[in-house]
């Protein structure tokens, strides 16, 4: 049976209840919500009943336990989350602006997940996994980059597969070694899941078609392009499938890409055809934006079936 692994930040999100610009003035907050792009991704994989695991590090504090409890209850193997008695779990303060954008204050780099190592239970866990999912946003610290590259190469060497969501924020793209690490990951990637302009990040081109062709020529087996509310497209050497997004009311966009990716990967690993995988992934992305809180948007298979049935034309 396949088992999906991801590695990276586990943190809590604390959200301002009123829109506005940042945190220079006192504002009411709500939280903690379990969060971190890899954590949201793997929670959605677990919720679909697919074997799933995450390697990370948290402090032995309430913020860490909020995440451990949620992931465990959604079926994720958390044996690779090191609970550091001397560490602190990362946090992010988030405030939505009137224009729909977001301001963040992050406390990740100096928190427990600022260093992640593949040893002990985490090393044993890698041996049980058959698929690695890499989040570009997780390549934020040298030890984490090293852990991700080590697990990615090991799983690939065992005959496993790799998916890669660049999930990049401009502020981390230029951190030291980031572009090199991203290029190494891309070289191991079977399934590439960019969003919008991220398609051109590693393959500058005048058109989508040309960018996709370059990626496929470089060894990527399939590209899944996320297009926000407009839906998504799938490309491989012989097929191209595009499906529109589901019509929903957006409440909180956080986690849409992670839930979409998790669902696509789960269906792809189960051997679903691209159209089916894309339809379920679109449904998961749409469900994610209808709920506030980063990880609150993950759906069960029954919830995805219900949305698909409701909007079937
Ligand atoms: P994130 O904000 O999590 O980083 P992303 O940029 O990786 O997301 P998006 O393209 O914003 O990815 O969203 C991923 C998928 O979620 C889309 O391809 C689509 O299927 C679904 N989705 C996102 N926003 C909406 C929306 N407003 N309505 C319906 N579906 C949506």
């Amino acid at each position: 049976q396949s088992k999906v692994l991801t590695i990276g930040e586990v943190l809590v999100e604390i959200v301002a209840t009123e829109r506005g610009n940042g945190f220079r003035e006192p504002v009411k907050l709500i939280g903690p919500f379990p969060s971190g792009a890899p954590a949201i991704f793997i929670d959605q994989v677990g919720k679909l009943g697919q074997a799933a695991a995450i390697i990370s590090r948290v402090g032995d504090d309430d913020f860490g336990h909020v995440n451990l409890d949620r992931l465990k209850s959604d079926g994720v193997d958390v044996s690779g989350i090191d609970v550091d008695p001397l560490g602190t779990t990362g946090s992010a303060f988030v405030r939505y602006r009137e224009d729909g954008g977001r301001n963040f204050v992050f406390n990740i780099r100096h928190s427990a997940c600022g260093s992640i190592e593949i040893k002990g239970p985490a090393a044993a866990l890698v041996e049980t996994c058959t698929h690695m999912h890499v989040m570009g946003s997780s390549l934020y610290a040298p030890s984490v980059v090293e852990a991700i590259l080590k697990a990615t190469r090991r799983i690939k060497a065992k005959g496993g597969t790799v998916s890669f969501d660049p999930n990049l924020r401009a502020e981390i793209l230029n951190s030291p070694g980031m572009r090199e690490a991203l290029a190494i990951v891309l070289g191991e990637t079977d399934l590439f899941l960019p969003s919008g302009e991220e398609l051109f990040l590693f393959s500058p081109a005048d058109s989508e078609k040309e960018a996709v062709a370059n990626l496929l020529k470089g060894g990527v087996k399939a590209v899944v392009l996320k297009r926000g509310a407009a839906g998504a497209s799938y490309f491989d050497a012989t097929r191209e499938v595009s499906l529109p997004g589901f019509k929903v009311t957006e409440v909180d966009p956080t986690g849409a890409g992670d839930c979409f990716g998790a669902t696509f990967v789960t269906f792809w690993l189960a051997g679903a055809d691209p159209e089916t995988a894309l339809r379920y992934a679109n449904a998961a992305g749409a469900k994610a934006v209808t709920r506030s809180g980063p990880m609150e948007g993950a759906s069960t298979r029954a919830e995805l079936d219900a949305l698909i049935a409701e909007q079937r034309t």
Side-chain angles (χ1 to χ4, degrees):
Q1 206 221 356
S2 61
K3 184 166 181 174
V4 179
L5 176 67
T6 194
I7 299 180
E9 68 279 21
V10 165
L11 61 142
V12 294
E13 213 162 274
I14 295 162
V15 187
T17 56
E18 295 157 36
R19 285 179 185 250
N21 283 324
F23 293 96
R24 301 281 177 104
E25 304 288 340
V27 60
K28 283 207 176 91
L29 301 167
I30 180 166
F33 295 106
S35 190
I40 299 167
F41 170 90
I42 210 68
D43 187 70
Q44 175 64 86
V45 174
K47 231 171 162 174
L48 290 172
Q50 160 69 47
I54 182 166
I55 292 175
S56 188
R57 201 144 174 258
V58 294
D60 191 6
D61 51 26
D62 285 349
F63 288 177
H65 288 287
V66 157
N67 274 286
L68 285 167
D69 292 350
R70 172 67 66 84
L71 292 169
K72 247 190 269 177
S73 78
D74 284 339
V76 177
D77 179 344
V78 296
S79 63
I81 300 185
D82 182 33
V83 180
D84 176 1
L86 300 176
T88 305
T89 304
S91 54
F93 291 80
V94 187
R95 188 168 191 189
Y96 284 86
R97 295 191 303 263
E98 292 297 347
D99 68 6
R102 287 169 282 181
N103 289 111
F104 292 95
V105 174
F106 282 108
N107 170 25
I108 298 176
R109 216 176 287 252
H110 303 292
S111 67
C113 70
S115 70
I116 294 175
E117 286 175 296
I118 310 269
K119 60 176 196 193
L125 183 62
V126 173
E127 297 309 314
T128 70
C129 292
T130 60
H131 181 87
M132 174 75 190
H133 181 76
V134 181
M135 287 277 177
S137 56
S138 300
L139 302 166
Y140 52 83
S143 80
V144 189
V145 171
E146 196 184 308
I148 287 174
L149 296 183
K150 191 171 164 186
T152 301
R153 287 173 168 142
R154 177 69 192 130
I155 286 175
K156 214 54 207 275
K158 291 194 303 160
T161 44
V162 173
S163 51
F164 176 30
D165 180 345
N167 195 32
L168 286 172
R169 292 185 305 273
E171 53 283 22
I172 55 172
L173 184 58
N174 293 321
S175 59
M178 182 76 169
R179 281 178 189 272
E180 292 81 348
L182 290 167
I184 295 171
V185 172
L186 189 69
E188 304 282 353
T189 296
D190 298 289
L191 190 59
F192 182 52
L193 300 135
S195 172
E197 292 300 306
E198 289 170 353
L199 173 67
F200 300 101
L201 212 61
F202 304 102
S203 126
D206 293 328
S207 70
E208 268 181 14
K209 265 198 169 26
E210 195 186 330
V212 168
N214 289 340
L215 288 161
L216 297 177
K217 225 183 289 161
V220 170
K221 299 212 176 58
V223 177
V224 182
L225 181 61
K226 295 171 270 176
R227 302 181 192 274
S233 302
Y234 169 94
F235 308 85
D236 66 19
T238 58
R239 284 165 297 186
E240 182 181 331
V241 184
S242 286
L243 290 181
F246 288 86
K247 288 179 189 62
V248 292
T249 305
E250 183 172 307
V251 175
D252 177 355
T254 313
D258 308 327
C259 291
F260 174 99
T263 304
F264 192 91
V265 167
T266 298
F267 277 79
W268 184 75
L269 286 172
D273 60 84
E275 192 169 339
T276 303
L278 214 51
R279 178 170 296 116
Y280 275 92
N282 270 339
K287 284 301 271 187
V289 305
T290 63
R291 303 187 189 122
S292 58
M295 203 186 279
E296 314 311 307
S299 303
T300 61
R301 168 73 189 252
E303 288 170 328
L304 300 183
D305 283 335
L307 179 64
I308 290 169
E310 184 192 298
Q311 295 198 19
R312 181 159 282 151
T313 45

